Amino acid sequence: MESVKGYLSLPTVDFYYEVAGEGEPLLLIHGIDSDCRMWDPQFFNFARYFKTIRFDLRGFGKTAMPAEEFQILDDVQQLLTGLGIENAHIIGYSYGGTIAPAFALKYPESVKSLTLAGAGMIGHTWSEEVSRYFVQFQESIKNNDFNEMMRLLCWKSIYGPKRKPEGLEEICGLLKEMFLPVVKRGHEGKPLSPGDSRGRLSSVKVPTLILVGELDFEDYHQIADFYHQNIPNSMKKIIPNAAHFMNIENPKLFNEEVLKFLK
């Protein structure tokens, strides 16, 4: 199967995107630790059944981040509009999973369903363990200590709190390939927060699948439970033998769960 690759020129930025397949549109939103390549185990698999779109957020992968203020929710809407898509199924990983429900609240007519994979949440009170990670990670960026930065990121995004940091070097290599250029490149853009959606989740009316890795931090299990308890038409599934990067670590089961839900 072939894909269409290119740039969508919007007034303030050119978004890199790829499209494959036919059928109902399915948009994949990556996390803040990655770019659209994180969807390699899903892209052509999902494209057998859906018109599947993946893209790089501003400042990630092949999309630049101009030095200006922007709202990521509006970016997603403009991307869909620019591609001639009226509405789509949305899958968001990690920060992409934070964006997805906020997007559904702001642009409900643009969303057919949501899949939140290891989703974050604006307003969540992070555990001491994860809060300490955030501080250490910011210090590694400030000190240009790229080795320490990637050690921390691999622990947080791949291994999780329950495993020794060994045995998943190939996935760590992909993470490094996606994230390190983002930090080294730097940017002056001013992203606006998608906002705290916690009190409005009951207004999300579309079917929603919530996925969390069995070995992920307890914070993400708590967040998944909160989404499940507050989004009316939702279901929650745990992906076994995987932590945060569940779609790469256990792609077979991840794909099966998502396709079963979407079909």
Side-chain angles (χ1 to χ4, degrees):
M1 182 182 295
E2 294 184 356
S3 63
V4 174
K5 304 177 182 181
Y7 288 87
L8 178 66
S9 294
L10 299 178
T12 59
V13 67
D14 293 339
F15 277 107
Y16 176 77
Y17 73 94
E18 299 179 9
V19 180
E22 297 180 352
E24 293 184 340
L26 171 61
L27 181 69
L28 310 175
I29 305 178
H30 66 78
I32 207 164
D33 55 4
S34 51
D35 58 40
C36 73
R37 288 173 290 179
M38 69 156 284
W39 298 114
D40 281 353
Q42 284 74 48
F43 185 59
F44 288 110
N45 190 301
F46 291 168
R48 292 185 295 163
Y49 309 99
F50 298 92
K51 180 178 181 179
T52 304
I53 307 105
R54 61 178 175 177
F55 72 107
D56 290 332
L57 295 167
R58 292 192 194 218
F60 295 84
K62 298 179 181 179
T63 300
M65 183 183 282
E68 63 180 15
E69 191 175 83
F70 67 94
Q71 173 53 259
I72 196 168
L73 305 180
D74 299 335
D75 278 355
V76 174
Q77 178 62 25
Q78 290 179 46
L79 178 78
L80 290 176
T81 301
L83 294 175
I85 295 171
E86 184 176 342
N87 50 39
H89 301 282
I90 308 286
I91 302 179
Y93 156 78
S94 197
Y95 186 62
T98 306
I99 295 167
F103 178 74
L105 288 166
K106 185 170 185 178
Y107 296 104
E109 70 286 349
S110 298
V111 181
K112 297 175 75 69
S113 75
L114 293 174
T115 297
L116 312 180
M121 178 179 284
I122 303 296
H124 173 73
T125 301
W126 295 95
S127 66
E128 182 180 343
E129 184 176 35
V130 176
S131 296
R132 185 167 57 249
Y133 156 80
F134 288 138
V135 172
Q136 293 173 340
F137 190 74
Q138 289 301 318
E139 287 179 353
S140 70
I141 293 177
K142 182 179 178 181
N143 296 330
N144 290 321
D145 188 345
F146 299 123
N147 288 332
E148 176 65 3
M149 182 193 310
M150 293 311 305
R151 184 192 70 79
L152 289 166
L153 189 60
C154 285
W155 172 74
K156 166 69 164 49
S157 291
I158 296 173
Y159 289 104
K162 301 177 181 179
R163 294 185 288 191
K164 294 181 179 179
E166 57 187 32
L168 297 172
E169 288 80 8
E170 185 176 348
I171 301 178
C172 285
L174 173 63
L175 190 65
K176 181 177 181 180
E177 186 179 332
M178 292 188 291
F179 186 76
L180 207 52
V182 175
V183 180
K184 290 184 176 181
R185 180 168 57 201
H187 57 75
E188 298 178 355
K190 301 176 180 65
L192 298 174
S193 169
D196 187 342
S197 302
R198 291 174 298 171
R200 300 180 292 140
L201 292 174
S202 61
S203 298
V204 176
K205 303 303 182 184
V206 295
T208 301
L209 174 63
I210 299 153
L211 299 172
V212 61
E214 176 190 15
L215 305 175
D216 208 346
F217 290 87
E218 182 60 27
D219 291 81
Y220 289 103
H221 286 269
Q222 294 171 1
I223 290 170
D225 287 339
F226 191 93
Y227 279 125
H228 181 40
Q229 292 162 7
N230 289 275
I231 296 178
N233 190 11
S234 67
M235 65 178 72
K236 189 187 84 167
K237 298 284 186 178
I238 294 176
I239 302 297
N241 303 316
H244 199 54
F245 237 133
M246 69 193 85
N247 71 298
I248 290 182
E249 197 173 344
N250 195 342
K252 184 177 184 295
L253 185 56
F254 182 91
N255 294 355
E256 287 176 355
E257 292 288 357
V258 171
L259 289 174
K260 181 168 63 176
F261 165 70
L262 291 176
K263 289 180 180 180

